mmCIF file of all heavy atoms in Angstrom:
data_model
loop_
_atom_site.group_PDB
_atom_site.id
_atom_site.type_symbol
_atom_site.label_atom_id
_atom_site.label_comp_id
_atom_site.label_asym_id
_atom_site.label_seq_id
_atom_site.Cartn_x
_atom_site.Cartn_y
_atom_site.Cartn_z
ATOM 1 N N GLU A 8 37.551 59.802 -29.905
ATOM 2 C CA GLU A 8 38.406 59.874 -28.719
ATOM 3 C C GLU A 8 37.905 60.911 -27.729
ATOM 4 O O GLU A 8 37.799 60.585 -26.550
ATOM 5 C CB GLU A 8 39.872 60.157 -29.180
ATOM 6 C CG GLU A 8 40.575 59.038 -29.790
ATOM 7 C CD GLU A 8 42.066 59.282 -29.963
ATOM 8 O OE1 GLU A 8 42.577 60.145 -29.233
ATOM 9 O OE2 GLU A 8 42.634 58.677 -30.830
ATOM 10 N N PRO A 9 37.611 62.170 -28.170
ATOM 11 C CA PRO A 9 37.065 63.120 -27.167
ATOM 12 C C PRO A 9 35.767 62.667 -26.554
ATOM 13 O O PRO A 9 35.496 62.896 -25.319
ATOM 14 C CB PRO A 9 36.909 64.388 -27.996
ATOM 15 C CG PRO A 9 37.862 64.262 -29.107
ATOM 16 C CD PRO A 9 37.867 62.803 -29.442
ATOM 17 N N GLY A 10 34.919 61.997 -27.375
ATOM 18 C CA GLY A 10 33.626 61.530 -26.848
ATOM 19 C C GLY A 10 33.863 60.484 -25.774
ATOM 20 O O GLY A 10 33.151 60.449 -24.746
ATOM 21 N N ALA A 11 34.811 59.609 -25.950
ATOM 22 C CA ALA A 11 35.084 58.588 -24.976
ATOM 23 C C ALA A 11 35.535 59.178 -23.649
ATOM 24 O O ALA A 11 35.235 58.640 -22.580
ATOM 25 C CB ALA A 11 36.156 57.603 -25.473
ATOM 26 N N LEU A 12 36.284 60.304 -23.691
ATOM 27 C CA LEU A 12 36.823 60.911 -22.501
ATOM 28 C C LEU A 12 35.811 61.587 -21.637
ATOM 29 O O LEU A 12 36.096 62.090 -20.540
ATOM 30 C CB LEU A 12 37.930 61.869 -22.888
ATOM 31 C CG LEU A 12 39.220 61.222 -23.465
ATOM 32 C CD1 LEU A 12 40.208 62.307 -23.949
ATOM 33 C CD2 LEU A 12 39.867 60.344 -22.421
ATOM 34 N N ALA A 13 34.518 61.604 -22.083
ATOM 35 C CA ALA A 13 33.435 62.014 -21.251
ATOM 36 C C ALA A 13 32.994 60.911 -20.248
ATOM 37 O O ALA A 13 32.234 61.154 -19.314
ATOM 38 C CB ALA A 13 32.265 62.432 -22.108
ATOM 39 N N LEU A 14 33.571 59.741 -20.420
ATOM 40 C CA LEU A 14 33.201 58.565 -19.618
ATOM 41 C C LEU A 14 34.370 58.240 -18.679
ATOM 42 O O LEU A 14 35.501 58.031 -19.137
ATOM 43 C CB LEU A 14 32.887 57.407 -20.459
ATOM 44 C CG LEU A 14 31.769 57.620 -21.516
ATOM 45 C CD1 LEU A 14 31.702 56.412 -22.458
ATOM 46 C CD2 LEU A 14 30.432 57.839 -20.881
ATOM 47 N N PRO A 15 34.153 58.119 -17.361
ATOM 48 C CA PRO A 15 35.267 57.893 -16.432
ATOM 49 C C PRO A 15 36.002 56.612 -16.750
ATOM 50 O O PRO A 15 37.252 56.578 -16.563
ATOM 51 C CB PRO A 15 34.543 57.798 -15.080
ATOM 52 C CG PRO A 15 33.261 58.556 -15.294
ATOM 53 C CD PRO A 15 32.833 58.366 -16.678
ATOM 54 N N GLU A 16 35.315 55.579 -17.229
ATOM 55 C CA GLU A 16 36.018 54.286 -17.507
ATOM 56 C C GLU A 16 37.017 54.435 -18.603
ATOM 57 O O GLU A 16 38.089 53.830 -18.601
ATOM 58 C CB GLU A 16 34.981 53.249 -17.912
ATOM 59 C CG GLU A 16 33.934 52.930 -16.849
ATOM 60 C CD GLU A 16 32.667 53.785 -16.922
ATOM 61 O OE1 GLU A 16 32.734 54.893 -17.474
ATOM 62 O OE2 GLU A 16 31.661 53.312 -16.402
ATOM 63 N N LEU A 17 36.693 55.279 -19.593
ATOM 64 C CA LEU A 17 37.631 55.510 -20.724
ATOM 65 C C LEU A 17 38.778 56.405 -20.303
ATOM 66 O O LEU A 17 39.951 56.257 -20.794
ATOM 67 C CB LEU A 17 36.892 56.036 -21.950
ATOM 68 C CG LEU A 17 36.270 55.014 -22.889
ATOM 69 C CD1 LEU A 17 37.309 54.049 -23.461
ATOM 70 C CD2 LEU A 17 35.156 54.257 -22.196
ATOM 71 N N VAL A 18 38.545 57.339 -19.412
ATOM 72 C CA VAL A 18 39.619 58.217 -18.917
ATOM 73 C C VAL A 18 40.581 57.339 -18.145
ATOM 74 O O VAL A 18 41.842 57.428 -18.333
ATOM 75 C CB VAL A 18 39.048 59.274 -17.963
ATOM 76 C CG1 VAL A 18 40.176 60.043 -17.240
ATOM 77 C CG2 VAL A 18 38.131 60.217 -18.746
ATOM 78 N N ALA A 19 40.104 56.412 -17.325
ATOM 79 C CA ALA A 19 40.993 55.529 -16.562
ATOM 80 C C ALA A 19 41.759 54.624 -17.517
ATOM 81 O O ALA A 19 42.957 54.339 -17.303
ATOM 82 C CB ALA A 19 40.189 54.691 -15.560
ATOM 83 N N LEU A 20 41.109 54.120 -18.529
ATOM 84 C CA LEU A 20 41.804 53.247 -19.501
ATOM 85 C C LEU A 20 42.868 53.946 -20.228
ATOM 86 O O LEU A 20 44.004 53.396 -20.405
ATOM 87 C CB LEU A 20 40.766 52.684 -20.544
ATOM 88 C CG LEU A 20 41.300 51.718 -21.543
ATOM 89 C CD1 LEU A 20 41.882 50.466 -20.897
ATOM 90 C CD2 LEU A 20 40.207 51.360 -22.559
ATOM 91 N N LYS A 21 42.653 55.220 -20.591
ATOM 92 C CA LYS A 21 43.713 55.954 -21.316
ATOM 93 C C LYS A 21 44.922 56.152 -20.436
ATOM 94 O O LYS A 21 46.097 56.066 -20.918
ATOM 95 C CB LYS A 21 43.205 57.356 -21.750
ATOM 96 C CG LYS A 21 44.181 58.133 -22.547
ATOM 97 C CD LYS A 21 43.615 59.403 -23.134
ATOM 98 C CE LYS A 21 44.674 60.120 -24.014
ATOM 99 N NZ LYS A 21 44.132 61.362 -24.566
ATOM 100 N N GLN A 22 44.695 56.396 -19.131
ATOM 101 C CA GLN A 22 45.788 56.582 -18.213
ATOM 102 C C GLN A 22 46.540 55.254 -17.975
ATOM 103 O O GLN A 22 47.808 55.265 -17.901
ATOM 104 C CB GLN A 22 45.294 57.143 -16.888
ATOM 105 C CG GLN A 22 44.715 58.576 -17.015
ATOM 106 C CD GLN A 22 44.036 58.985 -15.717
ATOM 107 O OE1 GLN A 22 43.679 58.190 -14.858
ATOM 108 N NE2 GLN A 22 43.833 60.297 -15.580
ATOM 109 N N ALA A 23 45.821 54.192 -17.918
ATOM 110 C CA ALA A 23 46.424 52.857 -17.584
ATOM 111 C C ALA A 23 47.070 52.208 -18.832
ATOM 112 O O ALA A 23 48.102 51.580 -18.724
ATOM 113 C CB ALA A 23 45.398 51.962 -16.954
ATOM 114 N N ASP A 24 46.414 52.345 -19.993
ATOM 115 C CA ASP A 24 46.841 51.637 -21.205
ATOM 116 C C ASP A 24 46.442 52.412 -22.447
ATOM 117 O O ASP A 24 45.400 52.201 -22.964
ATOM 118 C CB ASP A 24 46.236 50.229 -21.217
ATOM 119 C CG ASP A 24 46.821 49.340 -22.301
ATOM 120 O OD1 ASP A 24 47.455 49.834 -23.224
ATOM 121 O OD2 ASP A 24 46.658 48.102 -22.179
ATOM 122 N N PRO A 25 47.268 53.382 -22.840
ATOM 123 C CA PRO A 25 46.901 54.213 -24.016
ATOM 124 C C PRO A 25 46.614 53.427 -25.279
ATOM 125 O O PRO A 25 45.758 53.829 -26.046
ATOM 126 C CB PRO A 25 48.180 55.061 -24.183
ATOM 127 C CG PRO A 25 48.798 55.149 -22.857
ATOM 128 C CD PRO A 25 48.544 53.773 -22.264
ATOM 129 N N ASP A 26 47.303 52.283 -25.489
ATOM 130 C CA ASP A 26 47.059 51.509 -26.711
ATOM 131 C C ASP A 26 45.702 50.853 -26.686
ATOM 132 O O ASP A 26 44.989 50.855 -27.677
ATOM 133 C CB ASP A 26 48.148 50.414 -26.878
ATOM 134 C CG ASP A 26 49.450 50.985 -27.233
ATOM 135 O OD1 ASP A 26 49.565 52.091 -27.760
ATOM 136 O OD2 ASP A 26 50.524 50.266 -26.955
ATOM 137 N N ALA A 27 45.295 50.378 -25.504
ATOM 138 C CA ALA A 27 43.927 49.795 -25.365
ATOM 139 C C ALA A 27 42.877 50.863 -25.520
ATOM 140 O O ALA A 27 41.819 50.644 -26.084
ATOM 141 C CB ALA A 27 43.825 49.102 -24.027
ATOM 142 N N PHE A 28 43.179 52.063 -24.996
ATOM 143 C CA PHE A 28 42.229 53.187 -25.201
ATOM 144 C C PHE A 28 42.049 53.514 -26.662
ATOM 145 O O PHE A 28 40.877 53.673 -27.153
ATOM 146 C CB PHE A 28 42.727 54.458 -24.467
ATOM 147 C CG PHE A 28 41.959 55.653 -24.769
ATOM 148 C CD1 PHE A 28 40.756 55.924 -24.118
ATOM 149 C CD2 PHE A 28 42.411 56.616 -25.667
ATOM 150 C CE1 PHE A 28 40.012 57.120 -24.380
ATOM 151 C CE2 PHE A 28 41.720 57.754 -25.927
ATOM 152 C CZ PHE A 28 40.509 57.986 -25.329
ATOM 153 N N LYS A 29 43.099 53.538 -27.432
ATOM 154 C CA LYS A 29 43.046 53.838 -28.828
ATOM 155 C C LYS A 29 42.288 52.803 -29.555
ATOM 156 O O LYS A 29 41.448 53.035 -30.506
ATOM 157 C CB LYS A 29 44.425 53.984 -29.487
ATOM 158 C CG LYS A 29 44.415 54.462 -30.889
ATOM 159 C CD LYS A 29 45.798 54.803 -31.397
ATOM 160 C CE LYS A 29 45.749 55.374 -32.787
ATOM 161 N NZ LYS A 29 47.064 55.818 -33.317
ATOM 162 N N LEU A 30 42.468 51.508 -29.216
ATOM 163 C CA LEU A 30 41.743 50.393 -29.804
ATOM 164 C C LEU A 30 40.239 50.550 -29.571
ATOM 165 O O LEU A 30 39.439 50.391 -30.492
ATOM 166 C CB LEU A 30 42.249 49.080 -29.321
ATOM 167 C CG LEU A 30 41.587 47.812 -29.902
ATOM 168 C CD1 LEU A 30 41.859 47.732 -31.390
ATOM 169 C CD2 LEU A 30 42.065 46.571 -29.198
ATOM 170 N N ARG A 31 39.842 50.852 -28.352
ATOM 171 C CA ARG A 31 38.435 51.006 -28.032
ATOM 172 C C ARG A 31 37.816 52.193 -28.765
ATOM 173 O O ARG A 31 36.688 52.069 -29.205
ATOM 174 C CB ARG A 31 38.286 51.268 -26.492
ATOM 175 C CG ARG A 31 38.622 50.094 -25.642
ATOM 176 C CD ARG A 31 37.643 48.926 -25.853
ATOM 177 N NE ARG A 31 37.915 47.826 -24.864
ATOM 178 C CZ ARG A 31 37.466 46.598 -25.028
ATOM 179 N NH1 ARG A 31 36.708 46.321 -26.109
ATOM 180 N NH2 ARG A 31 37.741 45.708 -24.130
ATOM 181 N N THR A 32 38.579 53.316 -28.898
ATOM 182 C CA THR A 32 37.949 54.487 -29.476
ATOM 183 C C THR A 32 38.039 54.512 -31.007
ATOM 184 O O THR A 32 37.275 55.280 -31.668
ATOM 185 C CB THR A 32 38.641 55.727 -28.936
ATOM 186 O OG1 THR A 32 40.060 55.664 -29.145
ATOM 187 C CG2 THR A 32 38.357 55.877 -27.504
ATOM 188 N N HIS A 33 38.888 53.723 -31.602
ATOM 189 C CA HIS A 33 39.030 53.678 -33.069
ATOM 190 C C HIS A 33 38.336 52.474 -33.711
ATOM 191 O O HIS A 33 38.344 52.355 -34.944
ATOM 192 C CB HIS A 33 40.521 53.664 -33.449
ATOM 193 C CG HIS A 33 41.167 55.002 -33.272
ATOM 194 N ND1 HIS A 33 41.784 55.697 -34.326
ATOM 195 C CD2 HIS A 33 41.321 55.822 -32.191
ATOM 196 C CE1 HIS A 33 42.294 56.850 -33.824
ATOM 197 N NE2 HIS A 33 42.010 56.926 -32.552
ATOM 198 N N THR A 34 37.700 51.600 -32.890
ATOM 199 C CA THR A 34 37.040 50.450 -33.434
ATOM 200 C C THR A 34 35.551 50.723 -33.529
ATOM 201 O O THR A 34 34.868 50.835 -32.483
ATOM 202 C CB THR A 34 37.261 49.189 -32.553
ATOM 203 O OG1 THR A 34 38.685 48.961 -32.485
ATOM 204 C CG2 THR A 34 36.637 47.939 -33.209
ATOM 205 N N ILE A 35 35.048 50.886 -34.743
ATOM 206 C CA ILE A 35 33.627 51.211 -34.950
ATOM 207 C C ILE A 35 32.832 49.880 -35.077
ATOM 208 O O ILE A 35 33.296 48.898 -35.616
ATOM 209 C CB ILE A 35 33.510 52.074 -36.203
ATOM 210 C CG1 ILE A 35 34.085 53.463 -35.926
ATOM 211 C CG2 ILE A 35 32.026 52.215 -36.631
ATOM 212 C CD1 ILE A 35 34.070 54.405 -37.078
ATOM 213 N N ARG A 36 31.655 49.893 -34.554
ATOM 214 C CA ARG A 36 30.826 48.734 -34.580
ATOM 215 C C ARG A 36 30.506 48.189 -35.968
ATOM 216 O O ARG A 36 30.470 49.012 -36.960
ATOM 217 C CB ARG A 36 29.484 49.000 -33.827
ATOM 218 C CG ARG A 36 28.672 50.109 -34.367
ATOM 219 C CD ARG A 36 27.630 50.612 -33.392
ATOM 220 N NE ARG A 36 26.612 49.649 -33.060
ATOM 221 C CZ ARG A 36 25.551 49.861 -32.291
ATOM 222 N NH1 ARG A 36 25.345 51.071 -31.772
ATOM 223 N NH2 ARG A 36 24.703 48.908 -32.045
ATOM 224 N N THR A 37 30.362 46.895 -36.113
ATOM 225 C CA THR A 37 30.159 46.224 -37.432
ATOM 226 C C THR A 37 28.861 45.462 -37.433
ATOM 227 O O THR A 37 28.725 44.498 -38.177
ATOM 228 C CB THR A 37 31.364 45.311 -37.653
ATOM 229 O OG1 THR A 37 31.459 44.353 -36.642
ATOM 230 C CG2 THR A 37 32.653 46.090 -37.860
ATOM 231 N N ASP A 38 27.913 45.861 -36.582
ATOM 232 C CA ASP A 38 26.629 45.070 -36.478
ATOM 233 C C ASP A 38 25.541 45.728 -37.354
ATOM 234 O O ASP A 38 24.373 45.378 -37.177
ATOM 235 C CB ASP A 38 26.194 45.050 -35.055
ATOM 236 C CG ASP A 38 26.011 46.419 -34.382
ATOM 237 O OD1 ASP A 38 26.300 47.419 -35.098
ATOM 238 O OD2 ASP A 38 25.629 46.497 -33.256
ATOM 239 N N GLY A 39 25.898 46.651 -38.266
ATOM 240 C CA GLY A 39 24.926 47.281 -39.133
ATOM 241 C C GLY A 39 24.556 48.722 -38.775
ATOM 242 O O GLY A 39 23.975 49.404 -39.633
ATOM 243 N N ALA A 40 25.013 49.156 -37.609
ATOM 244 C CA ALA A 40 24.698 50.525 -37.237
ATOM 245 C C ALA A 40 25.555 51.523 -38.053
ATOM 246 O O ALA A 40 25.162 52.615 -38.381
ATOM 247 C CB ALA A 40 24.951 50.785 -35.728
ATOM 248 N N TRP A 41 26.788 51.123 -38.398
ATOM 249 C CA TRP A 41 27.664 51.812 -39.274
ATOM 250 C C TRP A 41 27.746 51.096 -40.610
ATOM 251 O O TRP A 41 28.011 49.899 -40.601
ATOM 252 C CB TRP A 41 29.021 52.021 -38.667
ATOM 253 C CG TRP A 41 30.092 52.655 -39.605
ATOM 254 C CD1 TRP A 41 30.711 52.079 -40.650
ATOM 255 C CD2 TRP A 41 30.556 53.998 -39.546
ATOM 256 N NE1 TRP A 41 31.566 52.976 -41.258
ATOM 257 C CE2 TRP A 41 31.488 54.129 -40.603
ATOM 258 C CE3 TRP A 41 30.365 55.072 -38.683
ATOM 259 C CZ2 TRP A 41 32.175 55.345 -40.836
ATOM 260 C CZ3 TRP A 41 30.993 56.261 -38.952
ATOM 261 C CH2 TRP A 41 31.922 56.364 -39.976
#
């Protein structure tokens, strides 16, 4: 979450839709990097 807030797009998303922001920041990739 703090890492995302370094990006203007995520700051705007948190202000506009906190639930969508949480989904974006709590969803970890599943393509093999994690």
